[in-house]
Amino acid sequence: MTGTEGTSRLDQLRRSLDAVRARIAAACAAADRDPAEVRLLAVTKTFPATDVAALIDLGLSDFAENKDQEGGRKAGEVARLRPGAEVRWHMVGRLQRNKARTVVRWADEVQSVDSAPLADALARAVANRIERGERSGPLDVQVQVSMDADPARGGCPVDEVPELVARVDRTSELRLTGLMTVAPIDSGQDATFARLERLFQQVRRDHPGVVELSAGMSGDLERAVAHGSTCVRVGTALLGGRELASRK
Ligand SMILES: *Cc1c(COP(=O)(O)O)cnc(C)c1O
């Protein structure tokens, strides 16, 4: 033992963050891409605000949650633990329209916009807050694409994406930044990511503001980076298994 490698949560997170960054760097090298093009989003669902604070101390600034209530609570806790820290919160989970009013209070970006009614509800919630002087600008959003039309993971079917993208792009309360997908876990992922990449290029031609492709998680970030992902959403590889974390 040299005494330099402790076993505290901070040390654990530092090691896993180094490992994830190394994976991203290797994937970028293999794809001949600049690692600065790929953002790391830490998916902190089920993990405590103290873990987020530790990741802030290690230099991360972008965090994602998949539930409105948990996200709102954690964002508040983190603001108290690390006042003044530059943090951006991303909502990446399925969102019901009736949560639009609460999600816009804490999320800097909603990546999981998958229907016109949800987009409209978010726009109304933003407009309300602007009217009351509680915010000044639009909400960053991404359109979530369903690559296999499995309703369980949410997302807009591929053939309806151009219409939804156009609608979001002309909504002044929303600022469309990109596309997001949760790829199926089964085989054929490479083909799925290739199709996603083509869709992304196609959407970009008509909507130059669409610059982000949020794809890739702990298990498939290399494939996603190979196919143009600009934002990988990593939970397990950074923070550990969620079953363990959520067991009471
Ligand atoms: C949980 C989650 C992730 C992270 O998944 P891991 O496999 O733990 O890295 C990414 N995206 C979404 C939408 C999620 O819900």
Side-chain angles (χ1 to χ4, degrees):
M1 291 283 282
T2 62
T4 54
E5 273 199 290
T7 51
S8 70
R9 183 62 170 156
L10 182 67
D11 290 321
Q12 246 174 39
L13 290 172
R14 180 183 288 118
R15 279 195 291 274
S16 56
L17 178 58
D18 285 348
V20 168
R21 287 212 164 113
R23 282 177 64 188
I24 295 172
C28 286
D32 204 13
R33 297 184 58 197
D34 178 354
E37 286 173 19
V38 181
R39 273 196 306 151
L40 171 59
L41 209 65
V43 183
T44 47
K45 64 189 182 200
T46 77
F47 290 94
T50 49
D51 278 356
V52 180
L55 289 170
I56 291 172
D57 296 343
L58 294 171
L60 284 191
S61 56
D62 286 270
F63 300 94
E65 290 286 329
N66 72 334
K67 293 201 172 83
D68 170 54
Q69 214 182 353
E70 182 182 351
R73 179 176 47 73
K74 209 174 293 180
E77 285 170 22
V78 169
R80 284 189 290 280
L81 287 170
R82 292 293 179 276
E86 290 263 337
V87 173
R88 269 178 69 79
W89 286 98
H90 306 257
M91 172 64 176
V92 298
R94 295 207 77 176
L95 187 58
Q96 309 207 308
R97 266 179 290 167
N98 62 9
K99 299 285 172 63
R101 293 170 63 92
T102 43
V103 81
V104 301
R105 292 188 196 142
W106 63 270
D108 298 289
E109 175 177 78
V110 176
Q111 295 198 345
S112 44
V113 175
D114 61 359
S115 74
L118 176 58
D120 293 349
L122 288 168
R124 275 196 305 276
V126 169
N128 262 320
R129 287 182 73 78
I130 290 176
E131 244 172 57
R132 291 202 301 264
E134 289 163 353
R135 74 180 292 147
S136 54
L139 175 73
D140 285 355
V141 297
Q142 298 188 352
V143 165
Q144 183 182 346
V145 182
S146 167
M147 295 307 293
D148 62 351
D150 176 355
R153 282 187 300 274
C156 173
V158 170
D159 56 346
E160 293 168 24
V161 165
E163 197 184 321
L164 180 57
V165 159
R167 185 188 187 107
V168 171
D169 208 13
R170 62 171 183 264
T171 302
S172 57
E173 293 86 1
L174 305 178
R175 191 174 78 96
L176 177 69
T177 63
L179 301 182
M180 184 272 254
T181 200
V182 182
I185 311 159
D186 57 359
S187 58
Q189 273 193 349
D190 218 48
T192 303
F193 283 127
R195 275 196 299 139
L196 176 69
E197 190 176 17
R198 282 195 299 277
L199 177 68
F200 179 57
Q201 299 303 347
Q202 180 196 324
V203 167
R204 283 184 86 164
R205 276 196 291 276
D206 297 327
H207 305 276
V210 172
V211 292
E212 293 272 3
L213 182 59
S214 174
M217 319 198 299
S218 292
D220 59 9
L221 70 87
E222 284 85 0
R223 276 198 173 100
V225 167
H227 289 287
S229 170
T230 66
C231 174
V232 292
R233 309 180 307 268
V234 180
T236 311
L238 266 183
L239 292 134
R242 282 182 294 271
E243 276 82 9
L244 274 174
S246 57
R247 199 177 289 157
K248 288 282 168 315

